[in-house]
Amino acid sequence: MLRSLLFLVIFLLPFLIFAQSTQTTWDLNTCLAYARENNINIKQADIQAKIEQVQLRETKNSLLPTASISSMQVVQFGRTIDPNTNNFIDINILASRFQFSGAMPLVNFGGIKNLIRAEKNNADAAILNTENTSNDVLLTVTAYFMRAVLSKEQIKLYELDLKKTKLQIDLLKEAILMGATGSLNLHRLQTRNALDSVNYIDAITNYQNSIIALQALLNVDFKNQFSIESPVLDNYDAQSISELKTPELIYEIALKQNVKSKINILQTTSYQYKIKSTLGSRYPNLSFVYNASSLFANIIKDKPVKQWWEGYGAQMSTNFNQIIGFNLNIPIANNGVLKTTYSRDKLVIKGLLNEKNGIEVELKKNIYSASSLALGAYLKMNEVRKTVESSQAVFDMVFEHFKLGGIGSQELIMAQDDLLKAKQVLLSNIIDLYFKLKMIDFYKTGQIR
């Protein structure tokens, strides 16, 4: 009774898991599309790109004229100095002042324009960084997805293995009833069945954990039922395999569209413009300035409130004055700020050039490594297929002898183990090759698809 209940739980468990999520079964392309829109890291990179765009607009606006209006309304109480007699007098005064002022840069030896060019490169680099972040995330999504596919396919292998063992147990029970064999073979198969059941449950647990990790990466609510649809794993052609033998050609294609290299070039160019802007700051800069103001003042001591504003219009008209002119600013000393800024930016450029070499070396290493591993996985897969075919033939022959009572359960278990292991290795090779070819395709096209 206990064994029957165990069999029931084992066989119903995957149906309970997968049936709940049939309404939200996602393939790889669906996961990639969802990640592009919802992954937290991609969202953060997009926000940073928008911040850089705002910074660019702010820098461009520094070329525009400024204007401000100020107003001051005061009442002075108490003692003050009479400018005529230089004696203290007790007087209360109401005063109003209005002023309009502003300035517009005219000449700054390219300081602002070069700074705008620098910020433009920063903004473009931030946009590319969003793409780079997206690529990193999508590669990780693909890796997580294929890990879940591996677990899902392993569940199928263990399902099939358990069915085989159950069939063998049923055959042995019939043979025991007829007195054709003893119970030792049955105990061996039941032990094997228990071990397979444990492996089966582990595979289901691994699948569930892989799904949870994928949901977190995609930023999918864990309350939602979620399952995946396995892709066609042998979706490759002879040309894609042949290209693995020429990684240098793949590298030359990939280098032209490598996002990290483009970001590095934009950042280097940005600092070159910053240096030009810094050098421009050493020279005089000229601005056009303008100002208009007027003043009203009235003694209000011992006067009723209605007389406080007497003569307001006449005074404001009389005191109205305007100023237009030019402001020349000649830098003389700035505590070495320009020199240190210049030196720092030169070092940053030197670091970016070293980083460029590092990016190229890393890219070449990744392509050569991925090509080698993919080619190795392909060759190994073909050999493992032969092993699976051979193991299958051996198992079929052993099973036929087992049914006829000409062989014991120990030999059958060994043949079944060999077949299961060969299938597991083949499955791992197929999925590994699928992922490596995805990476090679990404290097060639610059897209995860």
Side-chain angles (χ1 to χ4, degrees), residues 205-224:
T205 303
N206 291 336
Y207 174 76
Q208 290 174 323
N209 288 333
S210 298
I211 290 296
I212 290 171
L214 183 59
Q215 282 181 281
L217 188 62
L218 296 176
N219 196 22
V220 174
D221 193 335
F222 291 107
K223 295 178 182 178
N224 297 337

Side-chain angles (χ1 to χ4, degrees), residues 21 24 34 74 93 127 151 170 176 195 208 220 237 242 313 316-317 331 358 442:
S21 54
T24 54
Y34 191 89
V74 299
I93 298 176
I127 293 173
S151 298
D170 292 340
I176 291 172
L195 292 174
Q208 290 174 323
V220 174
D237 52 33
S242 177
M316 292 295 287
S317 176
F442 161 67

Side-chain angles (χ1 to χ4, degrees), residues 162-173:
L162 281 167
K163 289 178 181 178
K164 288 180 180 177
T165 306
K166 185 178 183 303
L167 174 61
Q168 295 158 14
I169 290 174
D170 292 340
L171 290 173
L172 266 180
K173 285 180 178 180

Side-chain angles (χ1 to χ4, degrees), residues 97-223:
R97 180 179 178 85
F98 295 91
Q99 178 174 283
F100 169 81
S101 62
M104 182 175 69
L106 296 177
V107 180
N108 50 56
F109 290 91
I112 297 177
K113 289 186 177 180
N114 283 315
L115 193 58
I116 291 173
R117 294 186 182 109
E119 291 297 339
K120 176 65 167 61
N121 280 273
N122 286 339
D124 292 342
I127 293 173
L128 284 179
N129 185 61
T130 302
E131 182 181 346
N132 182 60
T133 302
S134 177
N135 289 338
D136 289 342
V137 168
L138 297 183
L139 279 175
T140 306
V141 168
T142 304
Y144 278 38
F145 186 90
M146 296 314 299
R147 186 186 304 171
V149 169
L150 177 60
S151 298
K152 185 177 180 180
E153 297 302 317
Q154 283 176 336
I155 290 174
K156 295 178 181 178
L157 289 180
Y158 283 119
E159 269 184 354
L160 182 60
D161 209 49
L162 281 167
K163 289 178 181 178
K164 288 180 180 177
T165 306
K166 185 178 183 303
L167 174 61
Q168 295 158 14
I169 290 174
D170 292 340
L171 290 173
L172 266 180
K173 285 180 178 180
E174 292 178 5
I176 291 172
L177 289 174
M178 292 185 296
T181 185
S183 60
L184 178 60
N185 287 330
L186 179 61
H187 289 314
R188 286 173 176 169
L189 283 176
Q190 287 174 338
T191 301
R192 162 61 190 259
N193 187 71
L195 292 174
D196 283 348
S197 300
V198 171
N199 292 331
Y200 180 60
I201 294 171
D202 285 343
I204 292 175
T205 303
N206 291 336
Y207 174 76
Q208 290 174 323
N209 288 333
S210 298
I211 290 296
I212 290 171
L214 183 59
Q215 282 181 281
L217 188 62
L218 296 176
N219 196 22
V220 174
D221 193 335
F222 291 107
K223 295 178 182 178

Side-chain angles (χ1 to χ4, degrees), residues 280-293:
S281 300
R282 299 182 305 174
Y283 302 103
N285 60 79
L286 183 66
S287 300
F288 175 66
V289 295
Y290 36 88
N291 182 285
S293 63

Side-chain angles (χ1 to χ4, degrees), residues 254-273:
L255 185 60
K256 294 177 182 179
Q257 56 192 9
N258 183 259
V259 177
K260 291 182 179 179
S261 295
K262 292 179 180 179
I263 292 174
N264 178 272
I265 292 172
L266 288 170
Q267 290 174 337
T268 302
T269 305
S270 173
Y271 274 96
Q272 289 171 344
Y273 280 124

